[in-house]
């Protein structure tokens, strides 16, 4: 539904730019800004606006005349969406909520969410995490995704972002390729969560044992290895589901979720978490957009789990506050 219709309620003078279903929101000087409005923009399957929508066409035409970066603040954040619109919105909710908790001033940001990229990443995840179809993605699939992510990163740079984040686990499989030659700062989700765990000063659950952190994710994310790498750099021993747990709990849980069998998905996910916890891990990182909301919020197992999106949001806010201070 979000792909076909985008509704915006603008409560202050603003410019709005919609380009290939990319939303950018900017507060401007009232003298140069448009009056407050509430607009519904409908796009066709190609992402274009119907010619009959005169109001929408005139709006887009007036906005297209604006030259230069969309945002100019030194603490502007670029958010590159990935696997799903829901995942991107989940990060934005955390970002806004945690900003208020930290009494941070309004942080400017640009969001880029492409439904084509959503489908490509979703297809990749499902092809590697399904009992019915576990085909190895081709190199051309990877190349197409990297090129898509790279073009979106360039768009965010040109839009005025000074720091770019990707609230998507599987996208980090190509983080280094996507940000090669990038002229602005970027944050890596796995680095953010590993750093927070290091700063937390955790103690081993068993005397004489190393600090163990569990990672629960899809097969594609685990195979990419970036969570294991970043955690090991910080001195943690990484514990992942073994082959039997993946085949009999994790992958069936994702299949159940795709079939809308929420009860089956919850039961299987609980088994996978308990298998990791009995191996004396301090906490389990749930590094999966699909698994994030399977368990109810009051489930006791979640007290032993971490959502990396929280760490990414906190690190993004910290960067934005520092950037604003340095600019004054």
């Amino acid at each position: 539904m979000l792909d076909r219709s985008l509704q915006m309620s603008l409560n202050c003078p603003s410019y709005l730019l919609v380009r290939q279903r990319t939303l950018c929101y900017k507060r401007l000087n009232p003298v140069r800004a448009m009056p407050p409005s509430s607009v519904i923009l409908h796009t066709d399957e190609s992402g274009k606006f119907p010619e009959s929508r005169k109001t929408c066409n005139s709006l887009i035409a007036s906005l297209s005349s604006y030259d230069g970066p969309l945002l100019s603040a030194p603490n502007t954040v670029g958010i590159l969406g990935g696997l799903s619109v829901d995942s991107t919105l989940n990060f934005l909710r955390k970002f806004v909520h945690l900003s208020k908790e930290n009494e941070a001033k309004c942080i400017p940001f640009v969001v880029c969410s492409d439904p084509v990229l959503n489908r490509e990443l979703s297809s990749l995840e499902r092809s590697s995490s399904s009992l019915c179809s576990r085909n190895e993605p081709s190199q051309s699939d990877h190349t197409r995704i990297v090129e898509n992510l790279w073009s979106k990163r360039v768009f965010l740079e040109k839009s005025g972002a000074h720091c770019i984040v990707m609230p998507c686990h599987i996208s980090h499989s190509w983080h280094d390729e996507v940000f090669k030659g990038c002229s602005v700062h970027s944050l890596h989700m796995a680095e953010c969560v590993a750093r927070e765990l290091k700063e937390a000063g955790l103690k081993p659950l068993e005397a004489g044992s190393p600090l163990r952190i569990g990672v629960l994710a899809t097969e594609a994310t685990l195979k990419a290895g970036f969570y294991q790498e970043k955690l090991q750099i910080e001195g943690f021993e990484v514990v992942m589901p073994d082959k039997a747990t993946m085949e009999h709990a994790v992958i069936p849980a994702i299949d159940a979720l795709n079939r809308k069998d929420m009860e089956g998905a919850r039961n299987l996910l609980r088994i996978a978490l308990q298998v990791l916890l009995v191996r004396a891990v301090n906490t389990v990182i749930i590094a999966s957009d699909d698994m994030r909301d399977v368990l109810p919020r009051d489930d006791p197992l979640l007290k032993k789990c971490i959502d990396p999106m929280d760490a990414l949001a906190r690190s993004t806010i910290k960067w934005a506050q520092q950037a604003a201070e340095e600019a004054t």
Side-chain angles (χ1 to χ4, degrees), residues 1-7 21 43 85-86 89:
M1 183 181 295
L2 286 174
D3 290 346
R4 292 296 185 91
S5 174
L6 180 60
Q7 181 173 0
R21 302 186 196 176
T43 65
V85 175
D86 287 341
L89 291 176

Side-chain angles (χ1 to χ4, degrees), residues 137-264:
S138 65
Q139 184 58 41
S140 62
D141 292 334
H142 287 187
T143 301
R144 186 169 60 251
I145 291 173
V146 171
E147 289 175 349
N148 200 334
L149 287 167
W150 184 87
S151 68
K152 301 302 185 296
R153 185 268 289 173
V154 172
F155 169 81
L156 290 171
E157 277 187 271
K158 292 182 178 180
S159 298
H162 288 263
C163 178
I164 299 175
V165 299
M166 298 193 298
C168 171
H169 302 283
I170 191 65
S171 293
H172 283 75
S173 303
W174 309 282
H175 185 278
D176 292 347
E177 296 171 75
V178 172
F179 287 94
K180 185 177 182 180
C182 184
S183 63
V184 300
H185 190 65
S186 67
L187 293 174
H188 192 294
M189 186 150 52
E191 283 184 356
C192 294
V193 71
R195 189 183 307 115
E196 281 198 358
L197 286 169
K198 183 71 173 181
E199 294 172 353
L202 302 174
K203 303 295 182 183
L205 296 183
E206 297 178 346
S209 298
L211 276 168
R212 298 191 182 101
I213 303 297
V215 177
L216 187 62
T218 62
E219 196 161 3
T221 299
L222 291 176
K223 188 174 181 180
F226 53 88
Y227 272 103
Q228 298 91 304
E229 176 190 351
K230 302 303 181 183
L231 288 165
Q232 288 167 354
I233 288 174
E234 295 294 348
F236 296 107
E237 180 180 303
V238 183
V239 179
M240 299 180 295
D242 56 22
K243 183 178 179 181
T245 304
M246 288 298 296
E247 292 182 351
H248 299 293
V250 178
I251 294 174
I254 296 172
D255 279 341
L257 194 60
N258 292 334
R259 297 193 310 269
K260 310 299 182 184
D261 177 11
M262 291 303 295
E263 189 60 32

Side-chain angles (χ1 to χ4, degrees), residues 278-300:
V278 297
R279 296 170 66 182
V281 299
N282 284 70
T283 190
V284 176
I285 297 171
I286 301 183
S288 167
D289 297 297
D290 286 331
M291 298 183 223
R292 184 188 68 238
D293 297 322
V294 171
L295 297 181
R297 293 185 179 182
D298 59 351
D299 194 296

